[in-house]
Amino acid sequence: MSLAKKALEQGEGILRLTPTWVPRSFCVPGRRIKLHPDDYYALGGARGGIDERWFSSTTPAENGPLTSKNEGLSHIAYEDGGKTELFLLKDAIDELGAQVIGSRLWDQYKSWPMYSKFFDNMGPLPHHIHPSDEFGKLTNQNGKPEAYYFPPQLNNHGGDFPYTFFGIAPGTSKEIILDCLKNFNKGDNKITNYSQAFRLQPGTGWDVPPGMLHAPGSLCTYEPQKASDIFAMYQSLVNEAIIPEELLWNATPKNRWGDYELLVEMIDWDLNVNPNLMDNHYMEPKPVSDVNEMHAAGYHENWICYRSHDYSAKELTVLPGETVTITDSAAYGMIMMQGYGKMGAWDIETPALIRFGQLTHDEYFVSEDAAKAGVKITNMSKTDPIVMLKHFGPRNPDLTVL
């Protein structure tokens, strides 16, 4: 029997995943994702600080020529006879297909078409864009929509700039943005002069379609997204740090470098100049069913990311001392935010501090069969709720709040 089959059988349809840490050379870690203080530069100063942890990922990180092998890819931990063997979630899904993600997704995608992450930066990111599938094809990549949720458990402080710029101010011309891009190498190209910022609130979120300019703020962010790491930085100076010009052309084929008009074409203009951005893209949590009935059963569950057909996410809270069985119609990955107990055959716990390379019991992947059968969760604390975040693939059959 293969390792993948053994692991799926051992976990009764639930796979245990290992922490996947990703550095970004252009970021300063916010130090809120529970990595040990000595380990934020575990991959070396040249790689930059670790400010992301990726979940349920079959998508490699695009971090340039220094990118390490399997960077960004989630691993499964299989334990047998005191030995732990690690192998890629991608390989397990490639082998077992519908047994892991269900026939609905396997038949259409032949892969797991999303991942999620914690993004944890001390300051703001540059105003940047994730191109659509149309423009992603230019560099043989998928386009990327993404969503944000700001977990209260990871936001005891807001970092240096807890505001995010979204879009382009109504009335701005394409010529103005074109001039900003042409001025990329002249210090501050002032592109955020033509945008608007929104204060970020823990416990809420935003949806960010492809083609939308955005400069994420400094809250620690949970980000479900399409399986892609495509981006291009359109802002040249952030927090007095110069952004390398190659990141401006990061989503552009080499033979089109210098084609500033192409960069403007990548912007979904109507989407960006919409004066009602908050109405269309801001997300307050929405209960998945009747609140009184959920509380009587010992839990509370909210939709937290629900404006895209490419992914969705829930926040599940199991009340102290309660045992519940939660059913879902689709496979999902999950990450523990608070509490400890049991989930199916597994222990679940929320670590306070994680060393680089250390295994944990806070991240799992639930197969579609296990999700449909119902996952039994027991909160073993008398005082502390269990809180977990659950990320789903495209067109979740349970998602009816769009």
Side-chain angles (χ1 to χ4, degrees):
M1 187 184 296
S2 71
L3 269 182
K5 289 181 178 177
K6 288 179 181 178
L8 195 64
E9 185 176 288
Q10 180 184 70
E12 299 175 2
I14 301 175
L15 299 167
R16 180 189 174 199
L17 303 183
T18 70
T20 301
W21 307 106
V22 175
R24 296 295 195 188
S25 60
F26 49 83
C27 292
V28 177
R31 298 175 181 266
R32 290 164 295 194
I33 52 177
K34 303 179 182 178
L35 189 59
H36 190 283
D38 292 345
D39 293 347
Y40 279 98
Y41 292 87
L43 293 169
R47 296 300 320 279
I50 293 171
D51 70 337
E52 297 185 3
R53 179 179 171 183
W54 289 22
F55 306 120
S56 305
S57 173
T58 59
T59 303
E62 298 289 342
N63 268 338
L66 297 179
T67 305
S68 55
K69 182 182 179 182
N70 295 332
E71 191 162 297
L73 297 176
S74 293
H75 288 74
I76 296 168
Y78 171 69
E79 294 185 351
D80 183 39
K83 287 176 54 182
T84 301
E85 296 189 68
L86 305 182
F87 60 101
L88 291 175
L89 174 64
K90 181 182 186 304
D91 290 345
I93 292 174
D94 286 346
E95 176 191 341
L96 300 180
Q99 294 179 59
V100 181
I101 66 173
S103 58
R104 181 180 61 87
L105 293 180
W106 179 252
D107 291 348
Q108 181 171 354
Y109 297 98
K110 295 293 188 287
S111 66
W112 176 241
M114 69 86 64
Y115 67 105
S116 192
K117 68 169 72 167
F118 287 150
F119 163 72
D120 174 42
N121 203 43
M122 183 63 74
L125 275 192
H127 218 28
H128 68 277
I129 198 167
H130 303 293
S132 65
D133 286 337
E134 174 192 355
F135 292 102
K137 288 176 182 176
L138 297 176
T139 51
N140 299 312
Q141 299 182 77
N142 290 323
K144 188 170 80 162
E146 62 187 17
Y148 304 154
Y149 177 71
F150 311 114
Q153 294 87 351
L154 299 183
N155 281 295
N156 60 312
H157 69 87
D160 292 344
F161 192 80
Y163 305 82
T164 288
F165 287 94
F166 287 109
I168 297 168
T172 304
S173 69
K174 291 184 179 181
E175 288 72 26
I176 288 175
I177 299 302
L178 181 62
D179 285 344
C180 290
L181 297 174
K182 289 180 176 179
N183 288 331
F184 195 89
N185 282 323
K186 297 180 180 178
D188 184 2
N189 69 347
K190 299 183 172 64
I191 193 168
T192 53
N193 286 11
Y194 308 101
S195 184
Q196 51 189 328
F198 297 84
R199 184 180 177 185
L200 305 180
Q201 177 66 38
T204 69
W206 288 80
D207 188 64
V208 185
M212 183 175 181
L213 279 165
H214 55 292
S218 56
L219 286 195
C220 187
T221 306
Y222 169 74
E223 291 188 27
Q225 55 207 270
K226 191 172 176 178
S228 173
D229 195 27
I230 190 171
F231 65 89
M233 298 300 188
Y234 281 21
Q235 184 179 357
S236 60
L237 182 75
V238 181
N239 270 11
E240 302 307 315
I242 291 290
I243 306 303
E245 187 186 10
E246 59 262 28
L247 295 182
L248 173 66
W249 303 106
N250 194 55
T252 307
K254 285 284 179 66
N255 64 351
R256 301 288 296 273
W257 283 31
D259 186 348
Y260 294 96
E261 285 78 9
L262 175 61
L263 299 180
V264 174
E265 286 178 35
M266 288 184 184
I267 301 170
D268 184 329
W269 199 260
D270 290 340
L271 174 70
N272 279 268
V273 299
N274 177 6
N276 301 313
L277 276 177
M278 194 163 189
D279 291 344
N280 297 323
H281 301 289
Y282 175 69
M283 293 182 292
E284 292 271 0
K286 293 187 176 185
V288 303
S289 58
D290 182 83
V291 171
N292 291 331
E293 291 179 6
M294 287 192 291
H295 290 184
Y299 73 100
H300 184 99
E301 192 166 40
N302 286 326
W303 289 108
I304 53 174
C305 298
Y306 48 79
R307 289 188 179 273
S308 174
H309 286 298
D310 289 300
Y311 45 74
S312 56
K314 295 179 178 179
E315 178 189 64
L316 171 64
T317 300
V318 180
L319 303 178
E322 297 285 354
T323 294
V324 301
T325 299
I326 304 296
T327 59
D328 286 282
S329 298
Y332 60 90
M334 56 76 65
I335 178 68
M336 289 286 290
M337 302 304 302
Q338 189 172 342
Y340 72 99
K342 296 282 291 186
M343 182 177 74
W346 293 107
D347 294 326
I348 50 174
E349 59 190 15
T350 310
L353 199 64
I354 308 169
R355 293 304 307 241
F356 185 84
Q358 176 186 338
L359 300 184
T360 59
H361 280 96
D362 67 340
E363 185 186 354
Y364 294 88
F365 192 94
V366 180
S367 68
E368 183 177 287
D369 286 345
K372 286 181 173 179
V375 176
K376 183 180 177 181
I377 302 169
T378 298
N379 187 341
M380 299 173 70
S381 173
K382 295 180 180 178
T383 56
D384 201 22
I386 281 175
V387 181
M388 64 177 70
L389 304 181
K390 301 159 59 174
H391 26 277
F392 299 84
R395 300 191 178 276
N396 187 337
D398 296 328
L399 181 60
T400 58
V401 297
L402 271 169

